[in-house]
Amino acid sequence: MALQQLNIHRVRNIQAASLPRFARINVCFGENGSGKTSILEAIHLLGMARSFRGTSARTLITHGHPDCIVQGAVARSGGARKLLGVQRLLNGEVSLRVQGAPARAVSELVDHLPLQVINADSFALLTGSPPARRQYLNWGVFHVEHRFFPEWQRFQRCIKQRNSGLRRDRLADRELSVWTRELAESGQRLNSYRQAYFADLAPLFRSLMDRLLPQLGELELRLRQGWDKRLSYGEALAATLASDREKGFTQVGPQRADLKVVIDGRAAEDVLSRGQQKLVICGLKLAQGQLMQDRAQKQCIYLVDDLPSELDAQHNRRVCEELDRLGAQVFITCVAQDDLADQWSQAQDLAMFHVEHGEVTEQSFGETSLDPAAAGAK
Ligand SMILES: Nc1ncnc2c1ncn2[C@@H]1O[C@H](COP(=O)(O)OP(=O)(O)OP(=O)(O)O)[C@@H](O)[C@H]1O
Ligand SMILES: [Mg+2]
């Protein structure tokens, strides 16, 4: 999967940018406030219909304008090109297009343009609340298990109905038991997809961490499914029925699932330094990219903002090596043109984009090497 071209209109300080081609490794460089993150944001908008910096359209759209538009072409290697388009209006309206025709759901975009973001907000994956980790998990399962998404929608419907049944009086008992049964079946299936995904993800994550942070202690990724694992979901729902009625909502289930990274028996977020946390996050995100390739023969695109912050040169290089090894397309930001020279000196398919006051200029393209020796030899 690769982004082949991108048109940006009115995203933050980028009034208009037309980028007709990309390489596998795309470096956006420029001074603070020049618009580098805004380019990554525009790509994110194309794949997710929203920014990774909050959901408000008001902050995303260039001040004084009513809308922003991003259009792009993506292609699977050897596959047909798909044209995607997203428009966001100040009033919150969103319109999505795939091949020129209106798309109904964001999931259509996500399917065509699977994105992984590595930035300062990625710390939420370790230190934030469970929804960030469930989102991470769901993203992965969505891309490798086509039955997951319809099941997830079914589950949402069932839990909504059950919760509203729980809040009503006893007359709703029959209805409640119907929804409980449906929920139990759906939740059990959802959990089985997550468990199967997790069983493949955990060893990939461990071997990535062996390369990124070999000196780290005994590392373990754990999945909490959201209820006592000795019980079926139906049994767990039966056991909590009385208390669910009291509280007026379903307390156990896949909606409470969580992931935990444990090192030598302790929670990673409690023992790791900031840089080590960042490497664990990179490990988690790279493992998903690897698994998607292995299981779905699809590649995700990495949006990497400000990688060097918190990482020393050696670990910075290791992350870049892993990104390179994955063979995925990467969009990465840095301040000065040669900031990433050390990391990508061997990269064969590389493009550099200079960003200045919202203007984006391609510097050099394709078969380019950042290696000064190679450049001198030309
Ligand atoms: N809605 C908006 N309309 C116009 N300009 C905006 C809007 N929101 C932010 N900006 C400006 O856009 C510019 C680009 O921001 P961006 O975050 O992309 O910069 P950057 O190159 O990533 O900088 P840094 O190196 O500091 O991360 C900033 O100068 C910012 O003030
Ligand atoms: Mg930035």
Side-chain angles (χ1 to χ4, degrees):
M1 216 61 107
L3 184 62
Q4 296 188 327
Q5 65 168 83
L6 182 71
N7 294 318
I8 307 172
H9 301 278
R10 302 173 293 281
V11 173
R12 299 206 187 256
N13 71 336
I14 306 178
Q15 282 278 351
S18 178
L19 305 168
R21 53 189 184 166
F22 293 113
R24 193 167 66 74
I25 308 296
N26 300 279
V27 179
C28 301
F29 68 97
E31 291 174 357
N32 294 138
S34 56
K36 305 177 297 293
T37 303
S38 306
I39 297 176
L40 303 192
E41 239 181 328
I43 299 171
H44 197 268
L45 186 59
L46 190 64
M48 303 285 286
R50 61 176 171 78
S51 161
F52 49 72
R53 292 197 269 192
T55 48
S56 156
R58 187 164 295 280
T59 53
L60 180 69
I61 297 167
T62 306
H63 298 318
H65 289 269
D67 73 337
C68 66
I69 295 177
V70 183
Q71 297 155 324
V74 287
R76 242 175 137 134
S77 63
R81 263 159 79 101
K82 291 271 181 222
L83 299 173
L84 309 181
V86 174
Q87 179 187 32
R88 290 207 58 168
L89 278 77
L90 267 184
N91 66 9
E93 273 177 39
V94 185
S95 99
L96 318 173
R97 289 192 167 260
V98 176
Q99 297 292 69
R104 278 182 299 125
V106 177
S107 56
E108 289 189 44
L109 296 179
V110 176
D111 201 27
H112 291 302
L113 187 55
L115 299 171
Q116 283 280 2
V117 180
I118 299 177
N119 65 4
D121 295 334
S122 305
F123 283 98
L125 201 49
L126 269 191
T127 56
S129 53
R133 287 179 290 279
R134 279 197 292 277
Q135 205 177 8
Y136 163 86
L137 189 61
N138 289 348
W139 184 97
V141 192
F142 173 90
H143 284 291
V144 304
E145 171 56 76
H146 66 92
R147 290 172 297 180
F148 176 78
F149 188 58
E151 196 62 63
W152 187 80
Q153 288 177 312
R154 198 169 304 135
F155 181 83
Q156 297 303 323
R157 232 176 11 251
C158 291
I159 199 164
K160 207 167 143 209
Q161 296 288 352
R162 184 176 191 265
N163 285 348
S164 96
L166 285 167
R167 286 192 286 271
R168 276 185 257 145
D169 59 27
R170 295 269 156 183
L171 284 176
D173 264 5
R174 257 185 71 132
E175 203 188 329
L176 183 64
S177 68
V178 170
W179 284 114
T180 300
R181 201 169 51 243
E182 293 247 332
L183 185 71
E185 286 170 10
S186 178
Q188 196 74 45
R189 280 193 294 268
L190 211 54
N191 183 54
S192 71
Y193 300 147
R194 281 183 176 163
Q195 294 284 358
Y197 179 78
F198 177 79
D200 289 340
L201 183 74
L204 282 176
F205 170 64
R206 269 199 307 273
S207 64
L208 264 155
M209 291 315 298
D210 281 346
R211 300 196 291 271
L212 290 174
L213 255 181
Q215 71 278 24
L216 211 61
E218 190 62 39
L219 181 96
E220 210 191 324
L221 186 62
R222 293 182 190 162
L223 171 62
R224 292 182 183 158
Q225 62 182 19
W227 72 90
D228 185 341
K229 61 176 185 240
R230 292 163 302 184
L231 304 177
S232 71
Y233 188 33
E235 289 167 341
L237 285 171
T240 51
L241 178 62
S243 134
D244 281 358
R245 270 194 186 283
E246 249 171 58
K247 295 209 158 71
F249 67 93
T250 307
Q251 297 169 83
V252 293
Q255 78 283 8
R256 301 294 297 273
D258 200 359
L259 279 172
K260 205 93 202 125
V261 181
V262 175
I263 289 149
D264 293 332
R266 294 191 180 87
E269 63 274 25
D270 295 337
V271 292
L272 295 185
S273 73
R274 192 86 173 150
Q276 288 172 325
Q277 286 181 17
K278 187 158 186 172
L279 289 161
V280 166
I281 287 156
C282 290
L284 285 167
K285 302 225 164 188
L286 286 159
Q288 285 205 313
Q290 180 67 59
L291 188 48
M292 196 166 131
Q293 275 182 35
D294 295 351
R295 288 265 307 270
Q297 288 75 51
K298 278 205 299 195
Q299 268 181 333
C300 60
I301 295 171
Y302 283 83
L303 307 178
V304 187
D305 202 13
D306 205 12
L307 186 66
S309 63
E310 284 109 4
L311 293 187
D312 58 41
Q314 183 199 15
H315 288 107
N316 202 356
R317 189 166 52 246
R318 282 195 195 155
V319 174
C320 292
E321 274 166 14
E322 292 302 330
L323 282 166
D324 200 27
R325 181 202 298 261
L326 205 54
Q329 192 180 32
V330 179
F331 291 82
I332 189 164
T333 65
C334 59
V335 174
Q337 184 163 15
D338 52 3
D339 279 355
L340 289 166
D342 192 23
Q343 283 79 357
W344 297 112
S345 59
Q346 303 303 316
Q348 283 307 299
D349 189 7
L350 178 100
M352 306 285 296
F353 298 90
H354 183 216
V355 192
E356 199 174 18
H357 305 304
E359 301 278 332
V360 191
T361 321
E362 186 186 305
Q363 295 287 295
S364 52
F365 186 83
E367 307 289 314
T368 312
S369 176
L370 276 173
D371 185 354
K378 274 186 191 163

